[in-house]
Structure formats: structure tokens, C-alpha cells
Amino acid sequence: MTSHNNKKDKPGGRRTPAPARASISSSQRNLGLGAPRTGNTGALVSIALIDCLEFSIHGAAWQTIVSDFLQLDPNEFARMQVGLRGYPNRVQRGHVQILWSDDHDRPVKTLISGQGMDEIGVDGLELLRHVLRWNDGALKSVKTCVSQIHLALDDRSGFVSAGLIDDCILSGCLVTRLRKARKIVGYELGSDLPQYAGETWYVGSFNGDRLVRLYDKQAERIAAGEDDPGPWYRFEVQARRKCADVLARTLAREGLGGSGGILRGIIDFREQDNNQQDRRTPFSWWMTFCDGLVPIRTGVKKVAQTLEKACRWLERSVSRRLAEVRAILGDRWLNDLIKSGEKKTDQGVISAMSREYDLSPEWLGLRRLNVDCSGYCPF
């Protein structure tokens, strides 16, 4: 499947004009910058784009990030009086922000919204690939991490509607491993009567690593006082933390042409023609929107997240007390405590943790466990 940039308006009405872009240097063009960030996926109706990107870089100054990654002049960024997200230092250019700390152990964080990408004329996919190439390059002292990414798939033809989505979700035709879904009706206030701003479905947890928003972009724009852009319905995948890194690498490999498969790997709309969800038939309209792609899984094993949280909790909350107990009772009590915990441990989870982090059983203190987890689901 091919993916190409498309500057033309999509069926269903004209686009709302994008913010004026900065002039693009020749070095930006070499990086793929200056191109529109909207890409036609190759499907009949869907249009994919990266609508938000956040990444952190260890071992580089913020000026290096601005010049090497964004191909911009650091002097174009204004120093803000207050920081953000626990970072004391912040510079900003429009909707592009760079955060850093005087503590060199903390990475430099870059925040670019969809508006920011339009303002500096950056191609989100090419920027994403550039970040990952730097991380996999020869500079061992520099490490990058994608901490948040939003992938949007738009229908501008009127093929998908809010009523269609409501009917499918409320009739039980939504298939997903996410456990929560909620619907919020929006209104813009400030006039004599509230202005209807459309309805949004949130699938997933607001505090989780993955959330899918399904909403009427046309109603949102009209309520904001903009011209009617025509039919516009959006599916937006929001990934954070390790899920963002997995999604980023998948997009770098598959390109925007794989967006329909990525979306199907998180949510799927299927007919109720079988008792087993994985054997149900996807709706024809859904397959058309997703270009007939098979699901591409971008989930992260919960055991991996559990191990990270467990290690952080032990270091923060237990390490001092364990040292105090060991100083009084010695190593034998701690060894007995670990052996008692081995009897309560799920062997499949331990095996999956070990494979995920390349940890030896000796490191985990589980020498006596003969573990087999061949049937563990990686999704």
C-alpha cells in the first residue's frame, strides 16, 4: 500500500485555512519538512495524519533539538517565565514548546501540537522517523523516547456519521480490549444560548496509556466560530508512555498507509454473527474506511508495566525499611520473605517479564522456578 501527501481539499467541503507557515529552509526540505502533514492512506475515504507528538531526548541541549530536529533557529523561540510539567525552563514558538531542567539526568522534552506542525511546516511522520533514527544511531550518549503521539484518521466525505457510531457502540458491535467507553456531549458557552459542539465517544481510560476519541469535527469547528468545513468525522488514537513508543515504531515501519490496520488493532466494528468476538465479521463500511487492512497490534503487555511500577514502588517506599530490617535480622529473614513470595507468584507472568526486560531468573531471585509461558498473549 502506498502513502502520499495530498494538498487538495477532500470531498465534502473546503478546508479551514491552516495557520501561516514559516519559510522553509533547504535543510528542512531535505528532512521532509515543509510538506503537508496530511497523508491520504490509499483508502477510499480515510485521511491519516499525526496530530500531536511529544518526545524526550537525553544527552542533548535544547538548542541542538531545535536546530537538528526541527531545522529552526533557536533565536526564534521565546523564553517563558514559568515552566511546565515539573520542568523549570521552557521556550516556545507558537504551538511548539521545549522543556528542560538544569538537572542533566532529566531529558529535554519537546511538545508539538497539530497546530504547531502546521506553523513550522513539519511532516510529523518524517520527524518521527528522524527521532527514531537518532535513537538507533551511533551516538550512544544520546537517547530518544517518544512519550506521546496522536494518530488521527478523518472521513471528509460524509461516509461516517455520529449516528452510525452511536448505533454500533450502543448495539454492542464495538470489539476492543479497552474496558471503558463514555460519551460526552459538548457545548460552547458565551452566547445567549449554548452552541452545540458535537458528541465525543472516549474508548479507554483517561489515565491509561491508550485512548481512542471518536467525534464530529465538523460540529466542533462550527461551534468554535469557524466556517462550515463540510462533513468531517475523526477517529483519534492517543498513546502515551511505552504504548507511544510502540505506536511510533509501528508508524515508522508501516507509514500512514498502515493507519487503518493500527486503528483496527485497538477498536473494531463487527456484526454480531458469532458468539466469539474474534470470529465476527467486520462491517463492510468499517473495512472500506480502514482500506481492508488486517489489525496491527500496538498494545503493551501489562506485565511489563507492572514490573516497572513494582520496581519504582520498591525503591521509593520499601528500600529504606528493608535495609533497617536487614540490619537487625540479617539476610536470612529477607531470603525467607522472597521464598514465601515465590509460592504466590504466577509463573507465566514472571516468564513474560523476564523476556520483556531480558532479565535472568537469578536477577529476579527466582532460581527454582521452571517457567513456561508459551501461551501468553502478547497484546
Side-chain angles (χ1 to χ4, degrees), residues 150-339:
H150 294 185
L151 172 65
L153 282 84
D154 291 340
D155 168 39
R156 299 299 302 272
S157 67
F159 186 73
V160 180
S161 67
L164 174 64
I165 299 301
D166 280 355
D167 291 343
C168 289
I169 295 179
L170 296 177
S171 61
C173 296
L174 172 62
V175 176
T176 179
R177 300 195 182 191
L178 301 174
R179 304 305 302 170
K180 295 181 179 180
R182 65 196 70 184
K183 179 181 177 181
I184 296 178
V185 180
Y187 291 92
E188 288 284 342
L189 304 178
S191 58
D192 293 338
L193 294 176
Q195 176 70 42
Y196 175 70
E199 302 172 354
T200 302
W201 277 99
Y202 294 89
V203 182
S205 171
F206 289 115
N207 297 322
D209 288 354
R210 290 192 300 173
L211 178 72
V212 183
R213 296 175 62 208
L214 303 84
Y215 63 102
D216 188 341
K217 193 77 173 176
Q218 179 185 19
E220 179 191 70
R221 289 292 180 91
I222 294 175
E226 300 182 15
D227 294 338
D228 187 348
W232 191 349
Y233 198 86
R234 170 167 289 186
F235 298 80
E236 185 173 304
V237 177
Q238 301 180 1
R240 298 192 299 170
R241 295 182 283 270
K242 190 163 186 178
C243 283
D245 189 66
V246 173
L247 177 57
R249 294 183 179 277
T250 303
L251 276 172
R253 182 183 68 249
E254 301 288 340
L256 291 176
S259 300
I262 293 173
L263 182 61
R264 285 199 65 205
I266 305 174
I267 63 171
D268 220 5
F269 290 99
R270 303 187 179 189
E271 299 181 20
Q272 294 180 316
D273 54 0
N274 196 295
N275 291 330
Q276 299 184 33
Q277 289 187 341
D278 58 345
R279 295 186 178 182
R280 293 177 182 174
T281 305
F283 283 110
S284 58
W285 68 266
W286 179 242
M287 292 300 290
T288 299
F289 180 80
C290 296
D291 201 22
L293 296 177
V294 298
I296 300 175
R297 305 298 188 191
T298 56
V300 175
K301 304 172 189 177
K302 288 187 177 181
V303 293
Q305 298 173 344
T306 300
L307 179 60
E308 290 178 353
K309 292 179 181 179
C311 290
R312 288 197 297 267
W313 181 79
L314 286 170
E315 182 179 3
R316 181 177 64 251
S317 305
V318 182
S319 58
R320 183 168 66 90
R321 291 300 183 189
L322 285 177
E324 294 170 353
V325 172
R326 177 178 177 274
I328 299 173
L329 301 180
D331 293 337
R332 181 175 179 179
W333 183 87
L334 289 179
N335 291 334
D336 290 342
L337 180 67
I338 293 173
K339 290 177 182 179

Side-chain angles (χ1 to χ4, degrees), residues 13-156:
R14 63 184 179 84
R15 281 187 176 278
T16 301
R21 292 177 177 169
S23 58
I24 304 303
S25 65
S26 60
S27 57
Q28 279 185 305
R29 294 191 183 96
N30 293 335
L31 247 182
L33 306 182
R37 62 190 179 94
T38 301
N40 192 317
T41 64
L44 295 177
V45 294
S46 61
I47 309 160
L49 58 91
I50 295 176
D51 199 46
C52 173
L53 183 62
E54 297 183 9
F55 57 89
S56 301
I57 299 181
H58 292 262
W62 74 266
Q63 295 91 339
T64 302
I65 297 172
V66 170
S67 58
D68 288 4
F69 281 84
L70 304 180
Q71 300 294 337
L72 296 172
D73 184 354
N75 293 323
E76 297 178 2
F77 284 75
R79 183 70 178 263
M80 300 291 104
Q81 294 183 351
V82 295
L84 187 69
R85 299 189 182 180
Y87 284 83
N89 305 310
R90 174 167 62 111
V91 293
Q92 185 169 345
R93 181 191 186 277
H95 291 82
V96 180
Q97 302 183 79
I98 312 291
L99 317 177
W100 78 96
S101 171
D102 297 328
D103 181 0
H104 296 294
D105 291 335
R106 297 190 69 182
V108 178
K109 183 179 287 290
T110 302
L111 317 176
I112 309 179
S113 68
Q115 286 179 277
M117 293 183 191
D118 284 332
E119 289 167 359
I120 64 175
V122 67
D123 183 305
L125 181 61
E126 289 306 314
L127 175 62
L128 178 64
R129 286 171 170 165
H130 186 51
V131 170
L132 295 177
R133 279 196 300 266
W134 228 40
N135 188 53
D136 298 333
L139 292 175
K140 301 299 182 182
S141 61
V142 177
K143 294 295 182 183
T144 66
C145 175
V146 177
S147 54
Q148 185 166 189
I149 184 171
H150 294 185
L151 172 65
L153 282 84
D154 291 340
D155 168 39
R156 299 299 302 272

